[in-house]
Amino acid sequence: MNVLVIGSGAREHALCRSLSLDPAVTALHCAPGNAGIAEVAELHQVDALDGKAVSALAVELAAELVIVGPEAPLVAGVADAVREVGIPVFGPSKEAAQLEGSKAFAKDVMAAAGVPTARSYVCTTPEEVAEALDAFGAPYVVKDDGLAAGKGVVVTDDLEAAAAHAAGCDRVVIEEFLDGPEVSLFAITDGTSVVPLQPAQDFKRALDGDEGPNTGGMGAYSPLPWADPKLVEEVLQTVLQPTVDEMRRRGTPFSGLLYAGLAMTSRGVRVIEFNARFGDPETQVVLARLKTPLAGVLQAAATGDLADLPPLRWSDEAAVTIVIASHNYPDTPRTGDPITGLAEVAAEDAPHAYVLHAGTRYDGEDGDTVVSAGGRVLSVTATGTDLTEARERAYKAVTRIGLDGSQHRTDIAAKAAAGE
């Protein structure tokens, strides 16, 4: 199978890594990719938001499967453009991707499907915002209705901060605060059948102890030893399948990766949000544990054959990923700093630990120096017999990496590993 992956982050590196290990994949391309992806796939320059350019590249490469990684191209309709030229795509249509592109649309779908979620108000004026904030009280949960690269949500006890975030958005969803731990659950769907993956937990706050501003994610782990063994089946029956059924009923079937961000509240499971693609950094740990070859699974979703897929096989091992971020992230990050230690990790820690690139590129006079090129720069991922061993391996690999001014959390999966 000849596969083209669209995107340039650690999620796409994780996808490309898994695809490169799949015997069925005979050619692997990525556009635009990054310095790490270049080691496992042939890179091509393309504007990921330009559907015509992406579909033309797919035709030129004779791709048999296109995987659209990030949310922005999906919401821009890139998957539709590729489908129009007759190539199977893993990723929802522009209309279906509104499940992520609009929080208000997602709330409407959940209400129609009977999916449990937080009570909410959609606000477009300062007066509506003030009324909604007053109705729910602190902690205030304010969500930009549109795409915001994982940083469009503010959860705060500060009324002024909540109102200020709302004022910076054209339309906001203000909702009740959901207590309890959060879980990320991915599901692969062809618009009818739904195949859930293994749950993970990510860490949104920038600093240890869940302090600091919201980020796109600073680390993740899987499995969740504290979660109810019946959780996946419960979410499949109450959240994932009803949502896919409702989207099909509306005439906009959702095919691709449906991500449910969940809160395990005192009143039961509640949906925090939907995403229309693999989440980053959870993808890094979920794919580290998937034993079934990836290409056939994604192709089955893209071609409507998911019902014929054998049950997925999973490793019993645990996986942990730690994000190394640039100086000043999640504000405007510093870029262009050289990265050292990548060869040492490959030599000393493989195969149990490895580095997935996010914001990196080649630079320097010889063109082979890897430098930072974004906010989240690397995802250091490791597996082990349990979370304790996976954490130790991941953090040992992190110590080998050099990036001036970089930051990472030191407590990823710590409580879960300690049985808390």
Side-chain angles (χ1 to χ4, degrees):
M1 195 188 308
N2 184 352
V3 182
L4 170 62
V5 177
I6 302 300
S8 61
R11 161 187 48 228
E12 287 76 35
H13 193 177
L15 287 164
C16 286
R17 179 182 182 273
S18 290
L19 291 165
S20 73
L21 299 172
D22 186 338
V25 176
T26 51
L28 181 58
H29 304 270
C30 186
N34 62 39
I37 295 173
E39 297 177 8
V40 294
E42 183 179 346
L43 300 192
H44 305 269
Q45 284 305 310
V46 76
D47 179 355
L49 297 176
D50 185 337
K52 285 187 177 179
V54 171
S55 58
L57 176 63
V59 170
E60 179 188 335
L61 297 173
E64 294 160 282
L65 174 66
V66 175
I67 300 162
V68 183
E71 61 273 27
L74 291 168
V75 172
V78 168
D80 304 85
V82 178
R83 282 194 185 95
E84 284 171 9
V85 297
I87 298 174
V89 186
F90 183 80
S93 67
K94 179 178 181 176
E95 285 187 279
Q98 286 302 301
L99 265 183
E100 177 168 5
S102 169
K103 301 288 190 297
F105 175 80
K107 287 288 187 182
D108 186 59
V109 170
M110 283 188 266
V115 170
T117 186
R119 293 180 297 122
S120 64
Y121 295 105
V122 179
C123 306
T124 55
T125 68
E127 292 76 20
E128 290 173 346
V129 167
E131 286 182 26
L133 293 173
D134 182 60
F136 288 129
Y140 305 104
V141 182
V142 185
K143 299 181 176 182
D144 189 334
D145 182 48
L147 293 180
K151 298 189 282 289
V153 180
V154 164
V155 181
T156 179
D157 289 319
D158 185 336
L159 179 58
E160 287 188 10
H165 181 66
C169 309
D170 290 334
R171 188 162 79 150
V172 292
V173 174
I174 295 175
E175 63 185 40
E176 66 176 327
F177 176 75
L178 297 174
D179 62 331
E182 295 184 12
V183 172
S184 298
L185 185 62
F186 301 158
I188 291 171
T189 177
D190 57 8
T192 302
S193 300
V194 182
V195 177
L197 305 186
Q198 288 291 298
Q201 186 174 54
D202 79 331
F203 295 77
K204 287 292 185 196
R205 300 284 186 170
L207 307 176
D208 285 3
D210 292 325
E211 299 288 335
N214 249 357
T215 71
M218 295 298 291
Y221 70 93
S222 179
L224 313 181
W226 49 268
D228 187 330
K230 299 175 185 173
L231 174 65
V232 173
E233 183 60 30
E234 178 189 345
V235 175
L236 175 62
Q237 298 300 331
T238 63
V239 174
L240 299 170
Q241 192 70 58
T243 300
V244 169
D245 291 346
E246 172 62 19
M247 291 294 287
R248 190 174 66 255
R249 187 192 68 77
R250 291 175 176 228
T252 53
F254 187 101
S255 167
L257 194 292
L258 179 59
Y259 163 119
L262 308 164
M264 305 292 106
T265 78
S266 53
R267 293 171 292 144
V269 176
R270 298 288 185 274
V271 175
I272 302 169
E273 65 175 354
F274 284 130
N275 289 340
R277 39 73 193 182
F278 279 104
D280 182 344
E282 299 98 320
T283 302
Q284 289 86 302
V285 292
V286 172
L287 292 186
R289 298 186 56 228
L290 179 64
K291 294 176 73 173
T292 301
L294 183 62
V297 180
L298 303 189
Q299 189 182 42
T303 56
D305 299 325
L306 212 50
D308 301 326
L309 193 75
L312 299 181
R313 295 180 294 111
W314 295 93
S315 166
D316 291 331
E317 288 198 317
V320 172
T321 196
I322 296 139
V323 170
I324 298 177
S326 299
H327 176 74
N328 206 40
Y329 179 76
D331 293 325
T332 305
R334 193 173 80 199
T335 61
D337 289 310
I339 301 166
T340 62
L342 298 173
E344 285 79 0
V345 174
E348 302 292 335
D349 302 306
H352 303 297
Y354 48 90
V355 179
L356 298 169
H357 292 233
T360 68
R361 60 182 171 83
Y362 282 114
D363 199 12
E365 291 181 12
D366 51 6
D368 61 1
T369 300
V370 179
V371 300
S372 60
R376 292 186 294 173
V377 181
L378 303 169
S379 286
V380 180
T381 304
T383 55
T385 54
D386 55 22
L387 286 174
T388 298
E389 185 175 48
R391 285 189 82 246
E392 289 172 353
R393 287 172 170 172
Y395 278 108
K396 184 177 180 180
V398 167
T399 64
R400 302 187 198 276
I401 303 294
L403 174 61
D404 188 47
S406 67
Q407 54 178 314
H408 67 271
R409 283 185 57 161
T410 65
D411 62 346
I412 302 300
K415 288 184 177 180
E420 296 178 23

